[in-house]
Every structure is written in C-alpha cells, then in structure tokens.
Amino acid sequence: MTANPPLWMRHEIRPTERRAPLVPLDAARLVRGGASITVEESPQRAFPIGDYAAAGCAVAGACTWPDASPDTVVLGLKELPDLPRTLRHRHIYFGHAYKGQPHAAHLLRRFRAGGGALLDLEHLTGDDGRRLVAFGHWAGYVGAALAVLHHRGRLTAPLVPTTVRAIEDALRERVDDDVRALVVGALGRCGRGAREALALAGVPTTAWDVEETDPLDRDAVLDHDILVNAVFASGPAEPLLTRAELARRTGRLRIVADVTCDSGSPADMLPVYDRPTTWEQPVGPLRDAASPIDLIAIDNLPSLVPEESSVAFSAQLAPHLATVGEMAPPWRRCLAAYERADRSVQEKDDV
C-alpha cells in the first residue's frame, strides 16, 4: 500500500443510515494535508455532497467504489451490498464479523476471494487495548431515551432523524411515574451515554459494570422497569436474561433496550430475541415472557442524531485516516484481527 492511498467514502445502502464516518470539516483538513478523498453521492447522508466538494473532495456516483483503483481504501459505516461477490479493496467500517455472527463467514470469504481485507473499526485500538473510535456514547444515550419515551407513551413510529436538543427537550418533560432503570455496562461509552439520558429524564438508575455482574443477581435484573444492555462483550458471557427464565418468572421489568445488539453471536447477553427492531417498528414484544415485556433493539441508534454523532466520530477517526497508508500500529492491529478471523473460517472450510 502506498504512503497515502486514496480514500473513498461510500454511500450507505441502508435507507436509515444517515451518518458519515468523515464530515466535511475533517475531510478538508485531510485534503490540506495531502490526502486524496472521493465521496459518493448519497440521498440520505446528513451532510450535503456540495460541502465535501467545497472541502476539496472528488465526487462520485453512489455505489461506484468497486471500480476504484486497487490501492484505494474504502470507508463506510455499516454493511456492504451483496455485489460484488469478491472484495479486492481494503475496507474500513463496522463489519461485525469476528464474533461468529450468522453472516460473518460469508463476508470473510468475499474478502479472501478478492484479496482485500476488513479493517474493522471495532478493532482500531490503542496500545492499552481500548477502542480509539466509537459511536458508543450516542448509542447508549439514544437507546435509553427511547426506552424512557416508550415507557411514558411518547414514542411514535416510524422513527425519524432528530437532534440531541429535541431529545433533551422530550426527556425534560417529566411525568409522575414510578420507574427504575438498570444499566449494565455502565462504565463504558454506551453505559455513560445511557446514564446521561436517564439522569436528564429524572429516572432513578442502578449502574452495573463488571464487579456488579460477577455473580449476576437475576432477581435484581427483574426488579427494574427498564433494562439497558450496554455491554461490549468480546466473547461468550453469562446472559442477562434467558427465554426459560422469562417464561417462568415475573417482576417489574417491562422494557428491554439492547444497545449492543449482538443477536445471533455467542457473545449475545440477551439471547431472548431473534431479530432487531427497526425504525419503522422500533418496539416489539419479547415472546414467551410470563408478563408483557417490550424490546427496543435498533442496531444503528446514533443515526437518529446523525449530525452530532457523526461530528464526534469523525473527530476521533480523521487523525487515524492520515496514518492508514503507513499502517500505523492501530491499523496493524485491525489487520491482525481480520487475519485471525479469516484463518478461523479457512480452518472450518478445510475440515
């Protein structure tokens, strides 16, 4: 890879994905530093294409990145389209493919077949192992806010993009209700964001992290009205709830907000549902529960506040984009994580 490979920010194919991993202000800084950046047109992105052009970026049509030169690094956020079947570029995005998720093996085979690689943003870490870029704060904040608004009967569907200010105003409209919330993973980015929203809403909140969940007090989990799962689990862990437990036990619990959304993965701490909820239907029932429990499990929560979440994320990511050509240590760790995952799939394929 060259010292300064071309960067290409792709259009997101998911209709509700309005965020951008790189905002115009940070793109302009990179261009001034010598970066070559192409940005695809996108009808739903929160930032106009004209602002990127003014920042010095080239403009391309949506979904034209497969034709980019082989040394191009393709930048995105969420899932890739099904075509092309083989992936020849290095892609930077959240692939969610290293925990045994249902789609993981197929995606990794596409990269192997094309000679490309996944530089998964979840594995862009510092020397201390901590993630360098994340949307976690706003994911936790929005997830907890939706749970509160639903509990108060003020959540309407379908969801539409909004602003942090509008959510704050809605949360401040206090009601006289007896509600308690539990945030698990309370000390991480997601957990802190969730606690911030709950505090603004005036909801008494129990904060659990590693110490409070070893061992897990299952009675206490059920003794809260709202459960917010903000745990980033890298491997199998004891579930917070199980289907069998919900079928035979009752308690205060009425709303589960799963910010992590690891459904289908061995790391899933809430194996009580099979598919996430959506912007069109943000709330669904948890089936087989002894008493009614509602689920909120939207896997792109920060896109509901696309401008604020993108600005914060881009500020974290942009300095690292300037070092991807030289494969600075954080990017080498990304590549090593991809290679380990790919070897695991290869070994299973060879059996």
Side-chain angles (χ1 to χ4, degrees), residues 270-290:
L270 284 172
V272 292
Y273 69 96
D274 299 319
R275 63 187 66 183
T277 59
T278 65
W279 286 38
E280 291 74 22
Q281 295 181 312
V283 182
L286 275 182
R287 296 181 175 84
D288 303 324

Side-chain angles (χ1 to χ4, degrees), residues 37 168 227 238 284:
I37 304 176
E168 289 175 347
L227 168 62
E238 182 180 4

